[in-house]
């Protein structure tokens, strides 16, 4: 009888090419390698310098998302790139993909979008895979029961050249969330709450497995939101065991397995769960009923608190610096803070469900005077599907901007910037100083919370939307 | 990668905790297809004032810190993104070692591939070193030791493989390429399944 194994153990063992020893890390096989324009050019340069070419271009997929404009081409047919360097970066990726026969979702593709949105959409992301990308939010793909993590550019080169990585086995942490979520509370609130509990470095060295009845009840889009932010707790990766919800998603993808191949894959995928009695290196339990709409008050994602809770007294000088930067004070609630900018989008919350939540709030309402709101779908497919439901019209009629797909204001590389000193409520994943532009102040929140803040012109509790007495829903 | 056996230097102190990769190198400087020349943008928004002049209060702008190659940093240094631009910027700035009580996983990994030593020591030791940045410290990779001039010696953890790579200048790409028969065998058996 074999000892009970965790989901992580099963994924790890299935991909070991050469086992780990004291003297050397394991050689781990990578099933899917995703690349984008920002972290790949130097890797291709390195390959060229060594006279190498990619080993498995068929296992590599490319998209352009970070440096790309979210405004359409002008009358001259030219895309409004923010800088010449941004355009060069995008062109460099296209050149590298053509040269090496790598499938690229370029600016003309009807399926382009943020790397972590399009791979699950296409059916490239599948349960049981190892998936890497030169991007820390690769953890998103763990929502399908895959082992997915971010790597640096040197490692992008390693995977291009050998389809393998050198890895030491990480530790495991179970995060069990049981119970039912209150109306107005979603996956973003769960993950911000969890990071608040374990801390911005609480997951360092670990792979997280989210489990429990509240997690099983989430749809795939919400599970992606959850796993996306595992890295914000310092974790290597986050994952959710695949189940019928997962299989149903994959069945609808254009590029996932079909027919007999799908059936035999599902039979294997059903074995991908942590065995009864499997032991994790750490165990965290959260009661879903304790989770309220959650936002951050400081300059790292661990500064998460409920919308109506008072900001805690600073624990150290860094907390104080964060508060000063945010121009907030301990003792006050985040609710009520005046808002300048609202951003809905990113690989955390740029999928159809998120667009629908925003439309639900904005329908028949207006964005408050003086607030700039940007809604940026995560992919061309999300954009088309949302437009088919009339979401673009609802967004525009409310006075918000409906943009072309891309990372946009999440990382502010493409010219979509929060101005210095402005306060943004953002559905993205990082509130670091200057992340959304020099001097920008960011509060991380769910799409519902963000949209409700846009309407009210100040941070507000989205549970009000579900309060029958107020009849605002 | 060139071999790195020893670092000997006084230190620069950034005591703040959770210094993230967006502080080390803000995203707007990632629109490059090169890896060289990022040092001028290291800690950009702390180092340079709005008018482009140096912020005199920032340690890397202080003349006594010129040429120092060890950074003593607060807990959880390098959290955030996977951008290898972070260690590229720091080595371009002249750093060879980061000493902190916790260093984020991906940053640590990226640093080792670029001859930047990530050294994790207990919080109280990092604190005590921060109190005497003018001590010339010696970091001995072979012995996995950091030595202070008062004779104190602090062992630090360093993965055996990473240590070999640093001492001998071995590069991981070469190591992986040499495993090609194992990789072929793995691909063959896996596809048969
Ligand atoms: S949306 Fe933001 S976090 Fe996601 S890949 Fe783009 S820049 Fe990174």
């Amino acid at each position: 009888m074999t000892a009970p194994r965790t989901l992580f153990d099963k994924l790890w063992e299935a991909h070991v090419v050469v086992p780990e020893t004291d003297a050397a890390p394991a050689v781990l096989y990578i099933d899917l390698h995703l690349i984008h324009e920002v972290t790949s050019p130097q890797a291709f340069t390195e390959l060229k310098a060594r006279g190498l070419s990619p080993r498995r271009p068929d296992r590599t997929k490319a998209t352009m998302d970070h440096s790309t404009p979210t405004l359409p081409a002008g009358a001259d047919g030219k895309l409004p790139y923010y800088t010449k360097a941004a355009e060069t970066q995008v062109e460099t990726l296209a050149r590298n993909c053509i040269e090496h026969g790598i499938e690229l979702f370029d600016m003309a593709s009807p399926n382009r979008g943020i790397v972590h949105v399009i791979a699950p959409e296409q059916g490239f992301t599948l349960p049981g895979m190892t998936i890497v990308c030169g991007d820390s939010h690769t953890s998103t793909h763990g929502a399908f029961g895959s082992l997915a993590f971010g790597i640096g550019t040197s490692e992008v080169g390693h995977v291009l050249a050998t389809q393998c990585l050198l890895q030491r086995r990480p530790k495991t942490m179970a995060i069990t969330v049981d119970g039912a979520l209150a109306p107005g509370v979603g996956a973003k609130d769960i993950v911000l709450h969890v990071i608040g509990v374990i801390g911005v470095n609480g997951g360092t060295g670990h792979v997280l497995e989210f489990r429990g009845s509240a997690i099983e009840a989430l749809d795939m889009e919400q599970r992606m939101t959850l796993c996306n932010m595992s890295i914000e707790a310092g974790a290597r990766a986050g994952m959710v065991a695949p189940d019928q919800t997962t299989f149903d998603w994959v069945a609808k993808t254009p590029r996932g397995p079909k027919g007999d191949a799908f059936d035999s894959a599902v039979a294997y995928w059903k074995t991908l769960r942590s065995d009864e009695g499997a032991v994790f290196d750490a165990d965290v339990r959260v009661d879903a009923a304790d989770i309220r709409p959650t936002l951050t008050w400081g300059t790292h994602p661990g500064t998460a608190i409920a919308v109506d809770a008072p900001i805690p007294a600073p624990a150290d000088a860094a907390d104080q610096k964060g508060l000063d930067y945010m121009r907030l004070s301990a003792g006050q609630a985040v609710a009520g803070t005046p808002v300048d900018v609202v951003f809905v989008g990113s690989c955390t919350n740029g999928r159809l469900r998120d667009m629908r939540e925003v439309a639900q709030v904005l329908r028949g309402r207006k964005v408050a005077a003086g607030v700039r709101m940007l809604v940026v779908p995560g992919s061309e497919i999300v954009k088309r599907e949302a437009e088919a439901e009339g979401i673009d019209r609802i967004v525009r009629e409310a006075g918000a901007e409906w943009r072309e797909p891309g990372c946009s204001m999440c990382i502010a590389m493409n010219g979509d910037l929060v101005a210095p000193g402005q306060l943004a409520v953002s559905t993205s994943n990082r509130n670091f100083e200057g992340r959304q532009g020099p001097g920008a102040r960011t509060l991380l929140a769910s799409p519902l919370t963000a949209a409700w803040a846009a309407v009210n012109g100040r941070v507000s509790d989205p549970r009000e939307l579900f309060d029958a007495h107020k009849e605002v829903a | 990668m060139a071999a790195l056996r020893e670092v000997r230097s006084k230190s620069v102190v950034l005591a703040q905790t959770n210094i993230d990769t967006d502080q080390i190198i803000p995203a707007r400087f990632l629109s490059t297809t090169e890896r060289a020349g990022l040092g001028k943008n290291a800690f950009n928004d702390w180092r340079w004032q709005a008018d482009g002049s140096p912020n005199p209060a920032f340690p890397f702008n202080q003349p006594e810190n010129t040429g120092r190659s060890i950074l003593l940093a607060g807990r959880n240094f390098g959290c955030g993104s996977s951008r290898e631009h972070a260690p590229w910027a720091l080595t371009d700035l002249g750093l060879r070692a980061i000493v902190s009580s916790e260093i984020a996983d991906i940053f640590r990994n990226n640093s080792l591939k670029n001859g930047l030593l990530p050294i994790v020591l207990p919080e109280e030791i990092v604190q005590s070193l921060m109190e005497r940045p003018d001590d010339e410290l010696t970091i001995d990779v072979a012995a996995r030791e950091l030595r202070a001039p008062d004779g104190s010696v602090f062992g630090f953890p360093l993965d055996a493989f990473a240590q070999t790579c640093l001492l001998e200048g071995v590069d991981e790409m070469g190591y992986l390429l040499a495993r090609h028969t194992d990789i072929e065998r793995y691909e063959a058996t896996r596809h048969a399944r």
Side-chain angles (χ1 to χ4, degrees):
Chain A
M1 210 182 84
T2 52
R5 293 186 298 162
T6 64
L7 167 59
F8 165 78
D9 294 333
K10 294 179 185 183
L11 295 176
W12 176 267
E13 284 156 23
H15 290 89
V16 170
V17 174
V18 181
E20 177 175 17
T21 63
D22 285 345
V27 176
L28 198 69
Y29 195 77
I30 302 303
D31 294 320
L32 176 64
H33 185 199
L34 304 169
I35 59 174
H36 61 67
E37 75 275 22
V38 180
T39 53
S40 67
Q42 296 89 348
F44 281 106
T45 307
E46 178 72 18
L47 242 61
K48 180 165 271 176
R50 292 173 184 248
L52 298 167
S53 49
R55 177 183 177 85
R56 294 295 300 266
D58 58 319
R59 289 189 177 275
T60 310
K61 307 289 170 196
T63 188
M64 21 189 75
D65 49 9
H66 286 67
S67 304
T68 56
T70 57
L71 288 169
D76 57 358
K78 284 215 172 100
L79 287 166
Y81 282 97
Y82 185 45
T83 58
K84 184 73 195 124
E87 189 169 4
T88 303
Q89 209 171 43
V90 165
E91 286 167 0
T92 304
L93 176 66
R95 203 166 351 95
N96 284 325
C97 288
I98 291 167
E99 182 176 341
H100 298 294
I102 293 168
E103 184 177 6
L104 167 68
F105 293 76
D106 67 8
M107 296 310 285
S109 164
N111 300 323
R112 187 192 62 85
I114 303 173
V115 59
H116 311 308
V117 178
I118 69 164
E121 228 166 42
Q122 290 297 311
F124 296 142
T125 299
L126 297 175
M129 280 184 159
T130 43
I131 303 176
V132 298
C133 174
D135 196 286
S136 56
H137 293 99
T138 309
S139 59
T140 312
H141 308 263
F144 288 77
S146 61
L147 175 59
F149 52 93
I151 56 177
T153 295
S154 293
E155 291 175 319
V156 170
H158 297 172
V159 179
L160 284 173
T162 68
Q163 205 57 34
C164 289
L165 272 180
L166 287 165
Q167 288 285 304
R168 290 280 181 197
R169 188 190 187 103
K171 294 197 201 118
T172 54
M173 182 185 290
I175 300 194
T176 309
V177 189
D178 281 319
L181 294 172
V185 178
K188 185 63 163 288
D189 303 299
I190 300 180
V191 70
L192 284 171
H193 179 88
V194 165
I195 299 167
V197 169
I198 68 175
V200 66
N201 55 348
T204 302
H206 290 77
V207 167
L208 315 182
E209 181 182 336
F210 295 96
R211 54 214 306 245
S213 60
I215 306 299
E216 285 159 25
L218 299 177
D219 64 23
M220 288 316 297
E221 293 169 292
Q222 292 175 300
R223 292 181 193 181
M224 284 189 254
T225 301
L226 197 65
C227 291
N228 174 275
M229 290 197 66
S230 306
I231 178 72
E232 306 311 333
R236 267 316 252 151
M239 50 177 65
V240 176
D243 59 11
Q244 197 56 46
T245 305
T246 323
F247 310 148
D248 291 347
W249 172 287
V250 174
K252 293 201 190 93
T253 59
R255 306 283 293 272
K258 302 285 171 218
D260 289 350
F262 179 77
D263 295 340
S264 65
V266 168
Y268 169 57
W269 295 343
K270 284 184 172 164
T271 68
L272 299 176
R273 12 193 67 248
S274 291
D275 298 330
E276 198 66 45
V279 180
F280 292 83
D281 295 302
D283 248 302
V284 175
R285 280 172 190 277
V286 173
D287 185 346
D290 291 343
I291 305 176
R292 290 178 275 166
T294 303
L295 295 97
T296 57
W297 53 261
T299 51
H300 65 73
T303 60
I305 47 164
V307 60
D308 50 354
I311 296 172
D316 55 24
D319 274 4
Q320 186 60 55
K321 187 166 183 278
L323 270 181
D324 294 346
Y325 180 86
M326 293 301 295
R327 301 186 210 154
L328 295 169
S329 344
Q332 74 178 94
V334 184
T337 308
V339 171
D340 302 303
V341 177
V342 171
F343 170 66
V344 177
S346 87
C347 56
T348 316
N349 286 117
R351 285 171 289 267
L352 185 59
R353 183 198 167 91
D354 307 309
M355 302 294 122
R356 285 179 176 154
E357 287 188 354
V358 167
Q360 177 193 349
V361 177
L362 294 186
R363 186 176 287 117
R365 298 202 178 94
K366 292 276 180 221
V367 171
V371 174
R372 178 183 185 210
M373 183 180 190
L374 223 65
V375 183
V376 186
S379 71
E380 297 285 351
I381 292 181
V382 169
K383 179 166 180 269
R384 274 200 302 282
E385 290 179 348
E387 290 179 352
E389 295 180 11
I391 292 174
D392 56 326
R393 201 169 32 78
I394 294 168
V395 166
R396 287 204 176 99
E397 280 172 10
E401 297 172 53
W402 177 253
R403 293 290 188 94
E404 300 297 317
C407 297
S408 182
M409 233 179 228
C410 171
I411 191 163
M413 280 183 73
N414 73 333
D416 297 344
L417 292 165
V418 175
Q422 283 192 327
L423 187 120
V425 175
S426 177
T427 68
S428 54
N429 43 48
R430 286 192 174 137
N431 53 352
F432 299 149
E433 274 183 38
R435 168 77 176 189
Q436 299 194 284
R441 301 180 293 146
T442 301
L443 304 182
L444 302 176
S446 74
L448 278 180
T449 305
W452 193 222
V455 168
N456 293 307
R458 52 190 62 246
V459 176
S460 308
D461 189 334
R463 286 173 300 183
E464 291 160 9
L465 289 158
F466 300 87
D467 184 339
H469 301 292
K470 296 199 175 162
E471 288 185 339
V472 287
Chain B
M1 193 175 74
L4 179 67
R5 299 193 178 84
E6 187 184 85
V7 179
R8 199 188 284 258
S9 172
K10 296 174 180 176
S11 314
V12 184
V13 176
L14 289 178
Q16 194 183 325
T17 56
N18 301 317
I19 294 177
D20 57 76
T21 46
D22 280 83
Q23 306 321 313
I24 299 172
I25 178 89
R28 60 187 186 281
F29 303 112
L30 307 185
S31 300
T32 171
T33 52
E34 310 286 322
R35 62 168 80 195
L38 288 166
K40 61 183 181 300
N41 304 120
F43 302 111
N44 193 86
D45 295 353
W46 290 344
R47 206 159 129 224
W48 311 111
Q49 311 195 96
D51 63 2
S53 64
N55 166 12
F58 191 66
F60 280 96
N61 291 333
Q62 292 160 355
E64 67 270 26
N65 286 334
T66 310
R68 296 188 178 190
S69 58
I70 297 175
L71 174 66
L72 301 172
R75 178 174 44 78
N76 199 28
F77 186 84
C79 60
S81 100
S82 62
R83 59 188 74 156
E84 203 160 311
H85 309 70
W88 294 338
L90 297 181
T91 51
D92 199 44
L93 191 62
L95 291 174
R96 289 291 164 268
I98 313 285
V99 181
S100 173
S101 61
E102 183 164 354
I103 297 180
D105 283 337
I106 307 181
F107 175 82
R108 187 168 38 85
N109 230 323
N110 284 340
S111 296
L112 284 166
K113 292 179 177 59
N114 290 280
L116 179 65
L117 266 172
I119 293 177
V120 175
L121 289 173
E123 182 70 33
E124 59 281 7
I125 295 173
V126 178
Q127 292 290 340
S128 79
L129 293 172
M130 282 181 178
E131 283 160 20
R132 38 190 175 125
D134 294 333
D135 279 8
E136 175 138 309
L137 305 176
T138 302
I139 298 170
D140 180 338
V141 176
R144 295 179 189 150
E145 279 175 3
L146 183 148
R147 295 190 284 269
D150 65 0
S152 45
V153 177
F154 310 104
F156 57 82
L158 179 63
D159 181 81
F161 183 74
Q163 185 185 33
T164 310
C165 291
L166 287 165
L167 289 173
E168 296 170 17
V170 173
D171 91 286
E172 293 191 5
M173 174 86 94
Y175 180 90
L176 276 167
L177 287 166
R179 299 290 160 298
H180 68 271
T181 33
D182 294 311
I183 300 170
E184 270 158 26
R185 184 159 23 90
Y186 178 87
E187 284 182 330
T189 53
R190 202 138 172 273
H191 288 206
R193 194 170 64 195

